């Protein structure tokens, strides 16, 4: 289990490195380079628009790779998604700017971001299911939390590379070519990930199936549509929190508050370190007290913390901004530390790869794709403190709280026995 979980964690970290490095670049440099005719705010909105395309593509990727996972196995999903994400990320680093090829530059950016989203849409389902279906029932949340640490490591790696380049290079050199280096690095990381995953065994949950769904998506839509909608709505708050902290706040802090890029990245990264370290702790609590209570507690904390978070961000003071980000990510990890066990347990094995991944990635569209765009627009019409952003995030938290309240508990009551799913 340790070798399997570690390989899943490493691969997930690499794929989310690819996904996050684009978000950081969108917040810091893509607007002026690819949308130079726009105003600064409009350019940031346009850059976040291309960022959002990746989230729109993720449910399509979950359908594509979910079909493969439910028909052919979880293991092929891990290889295919990593190849697609890595190749498209390297290509982003090679796209000429608007000044060189005109409107073709943002169009290429859009296409490559879409391909990135397709790959990441398949990654989560494959990595999580391979781990969850190997894990013993009484420790399923703990072992399944390993891939959930991957996004935090991917974010830290992506932003660490950007931070190092930003500190080492003059502004002109960073804008000219320095921002491309993290994208080129994705090629090497993808090769490492493929090597790590080459020896993984297929999931016993898949091997034990006697009957595979002919068209998994059709079966999910026909028999589990309510569950998909509830899981998507429930997970929206996690995405909204994470990308308001790690993407929108970077743009707001550097453009509106005049905080240096290095300082903003440092504050965010410090909070993400704590979040990643506490993910297994939340998972252990999920194995002890249940998945649903953890999710309800995290949603409630999020609803109560969004206004304080934007207030602390608006101070521009490093320690206060860090505390604001930390409180938000602690609410996030309370929920998402158990999600990798919760979602697979909600869906029956024959359509689990498609159902769990589609629900997870539709939540990304609701919470991740729209939040940086909506938050930038709302912050542009307010004063120094973006209270409208706090109201928006609180509303999403309340929506997710209602969805989690309608979902059943799935924690095994004893080893090997799972309570019946009624959703």
């Amino acid at each position: 289990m340790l070798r399997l979980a570690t390989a899943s964690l490493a691969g997930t970290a690499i794929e989310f490195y690819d996904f996050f490095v684009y978000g950081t670049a969108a917040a810091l440099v893509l607007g002026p380079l690819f949308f130079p005719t726009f105003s600064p705010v409009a350019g940031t909105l346009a850059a976040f628009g291309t960022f959002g395309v990746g989230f729109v593509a993720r449910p399509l990727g979950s359908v594509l790779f979910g079909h493969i996972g439910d028909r052919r196995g979880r293991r092929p999903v891990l290889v295919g998604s990593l190849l697609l994400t890595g190749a498209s990320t390297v290509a982003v680093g090679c796209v000429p700017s608007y000044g060189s090829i005109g409107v073709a530059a943002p169009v290429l950016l859009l296409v490559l971001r879409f391909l990135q989203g397709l790959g990441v849409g398949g990654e989560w389902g494959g990595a999580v299911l391979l781990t969850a279906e190997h894990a013993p029932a009484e420790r399923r949340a703990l072992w399944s939390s390993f891939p959930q640490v991957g996004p935090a490591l991917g974010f830290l790696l992506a932003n660490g590379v950007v931070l190092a380049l930003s500190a080492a290079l003059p502004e002109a050199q960073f804008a000219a070519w320095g921002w491309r280096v993290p994208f080129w690095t994705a090629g090497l990381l993808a090769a490492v990930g493929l090597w790590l995953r080459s020896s993984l065994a297929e999931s016993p949950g898949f091997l034990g199936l006697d009957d595979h769904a002919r068209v998994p998506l059709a079966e999910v839509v026909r028999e589990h549509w309510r569950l998909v909608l509830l899981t998507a709505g429930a997970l929206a708050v996690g995405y909204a929190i994470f990308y308001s902290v790690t993407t929108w706040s970077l743009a707001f802090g550097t453009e509106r508050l005049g905080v240096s890029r290095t300082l903003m990245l440092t504050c965010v990264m410090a909070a993400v370190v704590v979040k990643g370290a506490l993910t297994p702790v939340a998972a252990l609590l999920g194995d002890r007290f249940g998945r649903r209570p953890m999710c309800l507690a995290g949603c409630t904390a999020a609803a109560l913390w969004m206004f304080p978070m934007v207030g602390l961000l608006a101070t521009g003071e490093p320690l206060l901004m860090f505390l604001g980000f930390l409180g938000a990510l602690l609410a996030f990890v309370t929920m998402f530390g158990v999600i990798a066990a919760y979602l697979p347990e909600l869906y029956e094995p024959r359509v689990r790869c498609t159902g769990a991944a589609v629900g997870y990635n539709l939540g990304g569209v609701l919470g991740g794709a729209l939040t940086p765009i909506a938050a930038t627009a709302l912050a542009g019409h307010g004063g120094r403190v973006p209270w409208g952003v706090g109201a928006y995030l609180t509303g999403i938290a309340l929506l997710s709280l209602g969805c989690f309240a309608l979902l059943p508990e799935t924690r095994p009551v004893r080893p090997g026995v799972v309570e019946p799913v009624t959703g």
Side-chain angles (χ1 to χ4, degrees):
M1 276 307 308
L2 182 61
R3 184 176 65 86
L4 173 70
T6 302
S8 293
L9 183 155
T12 306
I14 291 165
E15 286 221 46
F16 276 88
Y17 165 89
D18 298 349
F19 202 71
F20 290 146
V21 78
Y22 190 101
T24 305
L28 299 177
V29 297
L30 295 187
L33 289 174
F34 289 89
F35 305 96
T37 60
F38 291 17
S39 69
V41 173
T44 300
L45 281 170
F48 281 151
T50 62
F51 175 73
V53 166
F55 286 97
V56 174
R58 282 174 66 164
L60 299 177
S62 64
V63 170
L64 171 64
F65 287 103
H67 183 90
I68 297 171
D70 285 324
R71 293 285 298 166
R72 304 296 178 188
R74 320 311 192 199
R75 190 171 174 272
V77 171
L78 299 182
V79 176
S81 62
L82 187 57
L83 279 172
L84 179 59
T85 309
S88 56
T89 304
V90 172
V92 169
C94 300
V95 176
S97 65
Y98 185 95
S100 300
I101 60 173
V103 72
V107 170
L108 285 172
L109 207 61
L110 201 68
V111 171
L112 292 171
R113 179 61 176 173
F114 183 86
L115 293 175
Q116 260 194 334
L118 283 179
V120 173
E123 161 65 25
W124 187 87
V128 163
L129 289 190
L130 198 66
T131 307
E133 291 179 342
H134 272 93
E138 66 274 15
R139 284 289 179 262
R140 186 176 294 130
L142 175 62
W143 288 113
S144 300
S145 72
F146 274 63
Q148 289 296 85
V149 177
L153 292 180
F155 175 84
L156 292 171
L157 184 59
N159 284 270
V161 173
V162 172
L163 180 61
L165 289 165
S166 177
L169 296 174
E171 185 68 29
Q173 290 186 27
F174 182 81
W177 59 268
W179 69 271
R180 299 180 183 274
V181 174
F183 290 91
W184 297 336
T185 304
L188 176 61
L189 294 176
V192 173
L194 290 171
W195 174 74
L196 286 171
R197 290 180 166 182
S198 61
S199 61
L200 294 181
E202 183 53 81
S203 156
F206 177 80
L207 294 175
L209 288 175
D210 296 323
D211 182 30
H212 300 286
R214 287 178 57 84
V215 185
L217 178 62
E219 191 168 319
V220 166
V221 171
R222 184 175 62 252
E223 299 181 15
H224 303 287
W225 62 270
R226 180 176 177 270
L227 181 58
V228 170
L229 293 179
L230 284 176
T231 53
L235 298 180
V237 65
Y239 283 98
I241 290 173
F242 194 82
Y243 288 101
S244 64
V245 170
T246 61
T247 301
W248 167 74
S249 69
L250 291 179
F252 182 83
T254 54
E255 294 173 7
R256 290 286 298 277
L257 303 179
V259 180
S260 73
R261 179 168 56 221
T262 301
L263 182 57
M264 286 302 303
L265 285 170
T266 302
C267 290
V268 173
M269 288 173 65
V272 172
V273 167
V274 180
K275 172 257 179 191
L278 291 180
T279 298
V281 177
L284 279 171
L285 293 174
D287 278 327
R288 175 66 179 84
F289 298 107
R291 292 44 161 145
R292 186 169 173 268
M294 295 293 291
C295 293
L296 292 173
C299 266
T300 302
L304 295 173
W305 188 250
M306 293 300 96
F307 280 106
M309 184 194 78
V310 298
L312 292 169
L313 169 63
T315 66
E317 294 294 328
L319 179 59
L320 295 180
M321 291 192 297
F322 164 74
L323 291 176
F325 298 152
L326 180 61
L329 291 181
L330 289 178
F332 168 90
V333 79
T334 303
M335 296 174 278
F336 273 55
V338 300
I339 284 299
Y342 195 18
L343 257 65
E345 290 170 347
L346 285 169
Y347 290 88
E348 59 179 299
R350 58 185 277 116
V351 295
R352 182 173 285 159
C353 196
T354 299
V358 168
Y360 185 85
N361 287 297
L362 281 177
V365 175
L366 295 174
L370 298 178
T371 293
I373 299 171
T376 300
L378 289 168
H381 294 288
R384 181 179 175 88
V385 183
W387 297 121
V389 178
Y392 174 81
L393 295 173
T394 302
I396 295 179
L398 293 174
L399 168 68
S400 294
L401 183 63
C403 291
F404 274 124
L406 294 173
L407 289 171
E409 178 58 84
T410 62
R411 180 176 64 93
V413 293
R414 61 182 183 274
V417 178
V418 178
E419 295 175 3
V421 175
T422 58

